[in-house]
Amino acid sequence: MVGTPDREYEDTKRYAQELSGKALTRPSEVSSFWLRRALEFIFSHPLRWGRLLWTKLILSLKYLEVNETYSYVFFRQESAILRTLPISFGVLCPVGLLGVFISRKNHRILPLATFASRYLISILLEFVTGRYRMPLVLPFVIA
């Protein structure tokens, strides 16, 4: 079935083969194809890429979950534990960012802020989905 987690690699491989017009037999060939496509876009359309990064930053920090194959909203409806959580990422993120800002002169917060900012950059370069934001929760809670 197309669009399911167990088919993601096969789907991206099939699409890369269709676009390239050749058989890509190794995972490294598929990865190289998509890397070349991404770099072509970045260098051909730097302003569009900048706007895309800005949009992804907003999506990374906003209240709503960006669903991939699995939806946090669905699992929250199905899980008593998730339903009892007092706050969501939409509340935690701005409060955490405020905590980082207020604590910016505290050197103990530096490793957390460094981790959070570098991790956020890695999300922006790849995929913005709810599940990839989860490692940001700990620094925001501690801040």
Side-chain angles (χ1 to χ4, degrees):
M1 178 176 182
V2 175
T4 60
D6 58 329
R7 296 283 309 166
E8 287 178 350
Y9 171 72
E10 289 301 321
D11 292 342
T12 58
K13 178 182 175 181
R14 180 184 43 77
Y15 192 47
Q17 289 180 141
E18 288 174 12
L19 292 174
S20 68
K22 55 184 167 181
L24 304 174
T25 57
R26 295 181 313 214
S28 61
E29 292 174 322
V30 177
S31 180
S32 293
F33 171 81
W34 289 115
L35 177 61
R36 280 191 305 277
R37 288 288 301 248
L39 293 175
E40 287 170 10
F41 174 80
I42 291 167
F43 290 116
S44 298
H45 308 285
L47 292 177
R48 282 181 62 194
W49 183 60
R51 283 194 305 270
L52 175 63
L53 288 178
W54 178 252
T55 301
K56 290 169 83 173
L57 176 65
I58 299 303
L59 289 172
S60 295
L61 300 176
K62 73 185 287 186
Y63 174 77
L64 296 174
E65 294 288 327
V66 177
N67 297 333
E68 190 184 13
T69 307
Y70 296 113
S71 163
Y72 174 77
V73 173
F74 169 78
F75 286 114
R76 187 174 172 110
Q77 291 170 350
E78 299 296 316
S79 168
I81 294 172
L82 290 178
R83 280 194 306 274
T84 60
L85 292 176
I87 59 174
S88 67
F89 191 84
V91 173
L92 185 61
C93 179
V95 171
L97 289 173
L98 179 62
V100 169
F101 179 75
I102 291 171
S103 303
R104 69 187 180 279
K105 293 183 181 177
N106 180 346
H107 296 291
R108 290 180 289 164
I109 201 77
L110 185 61
L112 288 172
T114 301
F115 167 78
S117 61
R118 289 181 179 180
Y119 186 78
L120 186 58
I121 289 169
S122 75
I123 292 174
L124 299 181
L125 295 176
E126 291 289 332
F127 305 104
V128 177
T129 63
R131 69 181 174 137
Y132 292 128
R133 297 189 316 180
M134 293 310 293
L136 292 171
V137 169
L138 184 61
F140 288 161
V141 168
I142 293 173

